[in-house]
Amino acid sequence: QTSPAIWGWGSLGLVLFLVTFGPFAIFYFVFYILCFVGGGFVVTLLFGKSNSEKYLEQCEHSFLPCTSVGIPKCIEEMKREARPIKIDRRLTGANIIDEPLQQVIQFSLRDYVQYWYYTLSDDESFLLEIRQALQYALVQFSARSKETDWQPYFTTRLVDDFGTHLRVFRKAQQRIAEKGSQMKDQAEELVDTFFEVEVEMEKEVCRDLVCTSPKDEEGFLRDLCEVLLYILLPPGDFQNKIMRYFVREILSRGILLPLINQLSDPDYINQYVIWMIRDSNCNYEAFMNIIKLSDNIGELEAVKDKASEELQYLRSLDTAGDDINTIKNQINSLLYVIKVCDSRIQRLQSGKEIDTVKLAANFGKLCTVPLDHILVDNVALQFFMDYMQQTGGQAHLFFWMTVEGYRVTAQQQLEVLQSRQKDGKHQTNQTKGLLRAAAFGVYEQYLSEKASPRVNIDDNLVAKLAETLNHEDPTPEIFDDIQRKVYELMLRDERFYPSFKQNVLYVRMLAELDMLKDPSFRGSDDGEGESFNGSPNGSINLSLDDLSNVPSDETVQLHAYISDTGVCNDHGKTYALYAITVHRRNANSEEMWKTYRRYSDFHDFHMRITEQFENLANILKLPGKKTFNNMDREFLEKRKKDLNAYLQLLLNPEMMKASPALAHYVYDFLENKAYSKGKGDFARKMDTFVNPLRNSMRNVSNAVKSIPDSLAEGMTKMSDNMGKMSERLGQDIKQSFFKVPPLMQKTYSDPDHCRVAAPIDDNVDDNIPLRVMLLLMDEVFDLKERNQWLRRNIKNLLQQLIRATYGDTINRKIVDHVDWMTSPEQVADAVKRFRDAFWPNGILAETVPRRDKAIRMRTRVAGKTKLLEVMPDELKHIIGAETTRKGILRVFEMFQHSQLNKRMVYVFLERFLETLFPQNKFPELFNKLHSRSKQMQRYKQRLHSTQAPSLQKSLLVSHIRLLMHL
């Protein structure tokens, strides 16, 4: 009831209001209310503002200090002219280093900061702070460098890292070869396989992301630079993020990244290799070998296109007379190169790659290497040993080798015994007892009924030998009859040497001895080819009598001297030629003529006379060979002078009287005709290796004879040890080839899955730098493969000889060279080269455009050709020509992948920082920075999957044992 009443009265009041004031009265009423509220707010605001100002004025005068001076003073300071800033330019303490370093800092700030900073502000303080921060970091870096011993880094760790990198590459190549033709992109597959092998070898780190992803590489360099700034900068400067970020970006993006990209560029490396060996002349034979062995179609096409271009140019020439013959020869050579390139390209495109060694056997009759040469050449002996092992005749070969070792040892012991008997020292029974024990050891090992395997020889000879051993004193020649029979057996038995000449191992042996060459190829200056026939124009009009028939008469006087020297070119091969003027006088006549000889002729002649007259070896000294710059005029004049001195000493009348038979060899050498070498190329190559060892043994024997009495006891012990050499040699050979298990099994460790220097990390010998460098030879030429046992042992023998005789000297030279490399002069030179490379003439270098692909491919061919050309022949004689060629080409191929080159650069950088900051735990830091590697994650997954079954098995065994116990 109340609610309707309220609504009724309300409605009535509203109606009366509208009737009285009209329909718009309600709007006026709202407007009046708003104006009242607004006016009250404005009045309150004005009153409050005036009262607040009065109050603040009172407070300012009562409590706060005056502030009217600060801002004007600040403005006044900013308007003043900038005062000159004094910078301490001392960085390393060496002026020759500080000056180029200051220029590098100045150029870096100018080109990376100032060009945009001056568009924002003219204030120099910020630039000054950055410069001072860089200088402070360089000062700290220099102080750390001076305190660091760089010898282990350059002589051990650097070589270790390079050898490890090469080992990883070699194993990656082996895996690629096992996959065969299943790959689509061999280069990409090689990179992936390389990093798979790296993580297997390193175990804790893999650098695939840094080397293959530009984004990850930039992030890695930023993190690394920030860590270096944390170490080198003061804490206050490091906390300044703006300046720290600027310096970090300058170092990572402006300096390190371009430098690493340049050092990793294969084309840059190839150009640098060519520049380093620029003094050597490219050889036609080496160039054709590279073309025939190339497996890169791009290289072959680039060479073919260049040859075609040169061919068109030669055909366009309008010549006549003598020049036309030269041009025809050049055209024929270019046509042959194009033909070889086309044939090689077709073979690679068809996928029908043929083993060149097997193919060489079908070219015709192969060279015949006598068995006696095979047995004394370490390269040839290795292949013959492999073949004898396959046919079951290894016992005969091992017996022959062991007897050779016994003969040398027995001769040395008897010489020592004779020298000591002259001095009144008598130990005859002891020495004979040692010889008898060694001889019985050879007999029991190869000839007795218990020998296994046993040498099958005439029983009468064996019985006679046994009787001699029991009743007579042993001599060095005691096994000669049986050894001769064994040699004849190996020579004539169809199972051995005759069948070996028909085996593929024989062809591979010829390849290692470099005896599968084209006959048209000629030798080098140092005498590996045919002798020069006659005068430079190839014809001799003068005919003389054969001087070799002239008797050795005192009335005949012979004088000779080298009157001139020159350089000749024969079939693209350059060599030096020496003109010898010869005078012969006798009672009735006098004759004079000229003959021409190469250095190889002198070398062969010297070898021949020193073999026939051993006393001349210590008197006559032939000038040595030289690999580089051997066509230089200054060098040829020096060699001419040395050879003249050699001739004058040889023709000395006292020398001829002391060796009357020498005149025959001298007359033959000076006769005006083509010099006939006493030995072939193979024999001279073999003697290059054998003669130094023979002379060393002779020197050792002479030294033993002249030892003082005070060392007699020590020499007796040495003789005792040498007396057991033959027995140990035979046992070592048998164990190596028959795989005799050791008495105590060693923990297995695959050397191919560890770092190169890992086996000698715990060795504290002073010759570690030398040993690591020699160990690197194994990685370059892959001398640890299974079929190179003998080669590896001979190499180890040479290494021991070097360490025992010249190890300290070589080690000292290595240390001196490292000191020279880290000297202020060399560091300053490196900084200047860096400055000139990035800022030539003080201007930032523009980005070098990438060279054309054809030019880069031809550079690769030129680089490989020069590398093969500079390899010394002595190295080929020791480890084989084919092994040397494969090793050099493997190293060259390793540098043709930019991702792999980056990996090696980063490894060197990491080892450098670990050496420079040994207390900052950089190895752990690098492991964390590389922890996001995909290869590392996959490796851990594989490792976990392989370890999980063994863990489950061990748990199962534990449960079973627990149940059995219960």
Side-chain angles (χ1 to χ4, degrees), residues 68 79 335 364 370 381 387 405 601 659 732 747 792 906:
S68 59
K79 290 182 178 179
L335 289 174
L381 180 59
Y387 175 78
D601 302 330
S659 303
D732 291 342
T747 304
R792 185 173 68 253
Y906 280 117

Side-chain angles (χ1 to χ4, degrees), residues 633-650:
R633 170 55 60 181
E634 182 179 354
F635 170 74
L636 292 179
E637 290 297 329
K638 182 179 182 301
R639 177 177 277 183
K640 170 186 171 183
K641 181 180 178 181
D642 295 339
L643 290 176
N644 259 325
Y646 177 85
L647 280 177
Q648 302 313 314
L649 182 61
L650 180 67

Side-chain angles (χ1 to χ4, degrees), residues 284-508:
Y284 176 75
E285 175 189 354
F287 172 72
M288 293 308 302
N289 283 338
I290 292 298
I291 297 299
K292 295 175 182 178
L293 295 174
S294 176
D295 56 357
N296 190 307
I297 297 179
E299 292 179 0
L300 298 171
E301 291 179 345
V303 174
K304 175 186 172 183
D305 294 342
K306 189 64 177 179
S308 301
E309 180 182 341
E310 292 293 328
L311 185 63
Q312 293 177 1
Y313 170 75
L314 291 176
R315 286 176 172 173
S316 65
L317 295 178
D318 185 11
T319 58
D322 297 336
D323 293 340
I324 192 171
N325 294 326
T326 303
I327 293 178
K328 285 183 178 180
N329 292 333
Q330 294 177 357
I331 289 176
N332 291 333
S333 299
L334 291 173
L335 289 174
Y336 177 69
V337 171
I338 294 174
K339 180 179 178 181
V340 172
C341 291
D342 285 334
S343 175
R344 186 66 180 165
I345 291 173
Q346 293 177 2
R347 183 175 298 171
L348 291 174
Q349 290 177 342
S350 63
K352 298 179 180 179
E353 183 63 20
I354 301 176
D355 190 348
T356 55
V357 176
K358 294 181 179 179
L359 190 63
N362 300 323
F363 284 165
K365 185 178 179 180
L366 297 174
C367 300
T368 299
V369 182
L371 179 60
D372 55 346
H373 287 169
I374 292 177
L375 293 176
V376 296
D377 184 85
N378 63 305
V379 176
L381 180 59
Q382 175 254 320
F383 290 95
F384 187 59
M385 190 176 293
D386 289 346
Y387 175 78
M388 293 293 283
Q389 185 180 3
Q390 294 177 5
T391 58
Q394 63 270 26
H396 300 78
L397 180 59
F398 296 161
F399 171 77
W400 190 92
M401 294 170 59
T402 306
V403 170
E404 286 293 310
Y406 168 81
R407 180 184 296 110
V408 173
T409 304
Q411 290 175 353
Q412 291 178 349
Q413 284 186 327
L414 292 178
E415 289 177 359
V416 173
L417 179 62
Q418 293 175 2
S419 63
R420 298 189 64 189
Q421 285 179 346
K422 293 179 180 179
D423 298 335
K425 305 288 185 178
H426 299 282
Q427 288 187 351
T428 306
N429 295 332
Q430 181 180 1
T431 303
K432 291 182 178 180
L434 291 173
L435 288 178
R436 180 174 286 106
F440 268 109
V442 176
Y443 174 82
E444 293 292 336
Q445 189 172 356
Y446 294 104
L447 301 174
S448 66
E449 296 293 337
K450 301 178 181 180
S452 178
R454 184 174 182 269
V455 175
N456 295 322
I457 204 68
D458 188 2
D459 293 338
N460 295 328
L461 290 177
V462 176
K464 182 179 177 182
L465 174 64
E467 184 179 356
T468 303
L469 289 174
N470 291 325
H471 298 90
E472 298 181 10
D473 293 334
T475 61
E477 299 80 15
I478 192 171
F479 293 102
D480 283 2
D481 293 338
I482 298 181
Q483 187 188 30
R484 193 177 301 109
K485 290 292 183 180
V486 171
Y487 176 84
E488 293 178 358
L489 178 66
M490 292 190 295
L491 178 65
R492 307 189 185 283
D493 195 320
E494 289 295 330
R495 298 173 298 166
F496 303 141
Y497 178 69
S499 298
F500 173 64
K501 293 191 294 183
Q502 308 298 325
N503 193 276
V504 67
L505 288 175
Y506 184 79
V507 183
R508 295 189 181 278

Side-chain angles (χ1 to χ4, degrees), residues 870-935:
V870 300
M871 283 300 103
D873 292 331
E874 288 77 9
L875 182 63
K876 300 177 183 179
H877 301 159
I878 295 176
I879 66 176
E882 188 68 17
T883 300
T884 304
R885 187 181 299 114
K886 288 182 178 179
I888 295 302
L889 294 181
R890 181 186 298 114
V891 174
F892 186 85
E893 181 64 25
M894 182 182 67
F895 288 112
Q896 305 311 307
H897 305 274
S898 59
Q899 298 94 332
L900 307 188
N901 295 337
K902 280 190 176 182
R903 188 262 177 192
M904 186 166 60
V905 172
Y906 280 117
V907 169
F908 289 164
L909 178 61
E910 292 173 8
R911 297 294 179 268
F912 176 82
L913 295 177
E914 292 174 9
T915 305
L916 188 63
F917 306 100
Q919 299 177 353
N920 293 100
K921 299 181 180 180
F922 265 97
E924 299 178 5
L925 173 65
F926 290 130
N927 290 345
K928 292 180 180 179
L929 292 179
H930 296 301
S931 60
R932 295 186 297 107
S933 167
K934 297 180 180 178
Q935 294 286 358

Side-chain angles (χ1 to χ4, degrees), residues 121-139:
S121 174
D122 295 333
D123 186 17
E124 298 283 347
S125 60
F126 177 73
L127 299 177
L128 175 62
E129 291 291 337
I130 294 180
R131 188 184 188 97
Q132 289 180 342
L134 288 174
Q135 291 191 172
Y136 185 86
L138 288 175
V139 169

Side-chain angles (χ1 to χ4, degrees), residues 577-591:
L577 198 65
Y578 301 91
I580 306 176
T581 301
V582 185
H583 294 267
R584 184 179 65 175
R585 296 188 184 93
N586 54 27
N588 300 322
S589 63
E590 179 179 351
E591 296 177 282

Side-chain angles (χ1 to χ4, degrees), residues 166 195 202 222 345 406 428 506 615 634 730 740 779 822 905:
L166 182 58
F195 288 110
E202 297 284 353
R222 287 194 186 98
I345 291 173
Y406 168 81
T428 306
Y506 184 79
N615 60 321
E634 182 179 354
V740 178
E779 298 302 324
T822 55
V905 172

